[in-house]
Amino acid sequence: ISFSAVENALSSLKNCQSYIDTGMSIATRVAFDLVESFNDAEDVNRMENVMLEYAAMERKLNHYMTAVEETVNQIKQEKPEKIPDLLKLVEEKFTALESQNSDSDLQRNEKYVYFKDQLKDMRQQFRQSDNENDTIEQIDEDIAVTQSQMNFICSITQMQMKNPVRNKICGHTYEKDAILKIIQTRKQKKKKVRCPKFGCSHADVKESDLVLDEALKRVIESHNKQ
């Protein structure tokens, strides 16, 4: 049995994943724009619903690709004399996978979790920044060092971050180039990287644990404009 056509179809399905990723990235940026411009919470909630719809699409796509791959592997192992009904077998496996769906699956989607975390941080940062601006008007700006401004400083470079990345394990942020340079240098020496944030006990920072902290980046840029 030749599976070249099936493999080509799988390749096309995997391309669909990139379209879903793009859609989720756009929805995330739109939500951030809405928060930054202090739009109504209902508009932001619509973006959250869009993210959940994309998460459902991604789950369905992954289930179908899994069903196809498992069916192909099963036939390759069994090597039946008669060509089976591939479509029927795939549909049966796909239906079985879909029957296990739950809302909690979507809530655990990695991109949705990132969206929620970043949105929460951004709301807090802008709310805090707005409150602090009211306070600063009443005191000497030369001696006013706000907590939010301290959060803008990289623990490695001791300078304001331009491209902050957040460590998913410990939650601390660093300038992207600075932490990647440390990781690369230590990797060459076959040594682990301890989180540069003072007092943090996390002793194995990996590049795969770092995600762009777009919320913090936007707050920094907004603060600099002011």
Side-chain angles (χ1 to χ4, degrees):
I1 302 174
S2 175
F3 293 102
S4 58
V6 177
E7 290 170 354
N8 288 336
L10 266 179
S11 179
S12 297
L13 287 174
K14 289 176 181 177
N15 288 335
C16 292
Q17 179 67 62
S18 65
Y19 300 138
I20 294 175
D21 290 343
T22 299
M24 296 183 91
S25 296
I26 292 174
T28 299
R29 289 197 295 271
V30 170
F32 290 167
D33 287 341
L34 291 171
V35 172
E36 191 172 357
S37 55
F38 297 99
N39 278 54
D40 190 84
E42 187 176 342
D43 293 331
V44 180
N45 290 338
R46 288 196 187 98
M47 288 299 102
E48 182 174 344
N49 290 332
V50 169
M51 290 293 289
L52 287 172
E53 289 175 7
Y54 273 122
M57 289 170 58
E58 184 176 59
R59 179 179 64 188
K60 192 169 186 177
L61 177 63
N62 288 336
H63 280 171
Y64 197 80
M65 288 193 297
T66 298
V68 172
E69 290 170 347
E70 288 183 354
T71 300
V72 169
N73 290 335
Q74 177 184 338
I75 294 174
K76 284 181 177 179
Q77 289 177 357
E78 295 177 355
K79 298 178 181 179
E81 294 182 4
K82 183 180 178 181
I83 299 177
D85 187 338
L86 289 177
L87 182 59
K88 182 180 178 181
L89 291 175
V90 168
E91 288 294 337
E92 289 175 353
K93 289 183 180 295
F94 174 71
T95 301
L97 290 170
E98 286 285 287
S99 66
Q100 301 171 14
N101 288 347
S102 69
D103 291 340
S104 60
D105 295 338
L106 305 182
Q107 302 287 337
R108 291 194 297 269
N109 179 280
E110 185 176 353
K111 300 179 191 68
Y112 177 75
V113 171
Y114 171 81
F115 170 86
K116 291 287 287 183
D117 289 345
Q118 290 280 284
L119 206 58
K120 179 182 177 182
D121 289 346
M122 194 169 184
R123 279 170 166 158
Q124 290 177 341
Q125 290 277 7
F126 272 100
R127 192 179 302 119
Q128 181 180 3
S129 178
D130 191 44
N131 292 337
E132 287 167 348
N133 286 338
D134 294 338
T135 304
I136 289 174
E137 291 178 0
Q138 305 170 18
I139 61 178
D140 186 352
E141 291 188 11
D142 291 334
I143 62 173
V145 180
T146 67
Q147 182 61 43
S148 62
Q149 286 173 297
M150 293 297 293
N151 292 337
F152 299 165
I153 304 301
C154 172
S155 54
I156 302 170
T157 66
Q158 295 302 311
M159 297 175 64
Q160 187 183 88
M161 291 180 281
K162 295 181 179 179
N163 290 300
V165 290
R166 181 182 299 276
N167 190 321
K168 293 187 292 185
I169 306 302
C170 63
H172 293 127
T173 53
Y174 334 96
E175 178 62 41
K176 181 179 179 180
D177 289 344
I179 187 63
L180 290 181
K181 185 176 181 179
I182 291 177
I183 292 175
Q184 183 178 11
T185 301
R186 299 288 288 179
K187 186 176 181 180
Q188 291 174 348
K189 298 179 180 179
K190 296 182 179 180
K191 293 183 178 181
K192 295 181 179 180
V193 177
R194 176 175 289 277
C195 176
K197 188 72 173 180
F198 180 75
C200 182
S201 60
H202 183 45
D204 190 13
V205 179
K206 297 183 177 69
E207 184 175 350
S208 58
D209 294 330
L210 305 177
V211 293
L212 174 65
D213 196 329
E214 190 169 346
L216 180 57
K217 181 178 180 180
R218 283 174 176 250
V219 173
I220 293 174
E221 291 173 349
S222 176
H223 179 271
N224 289 338
K225 289 177 182 177
Q226 294 174 2

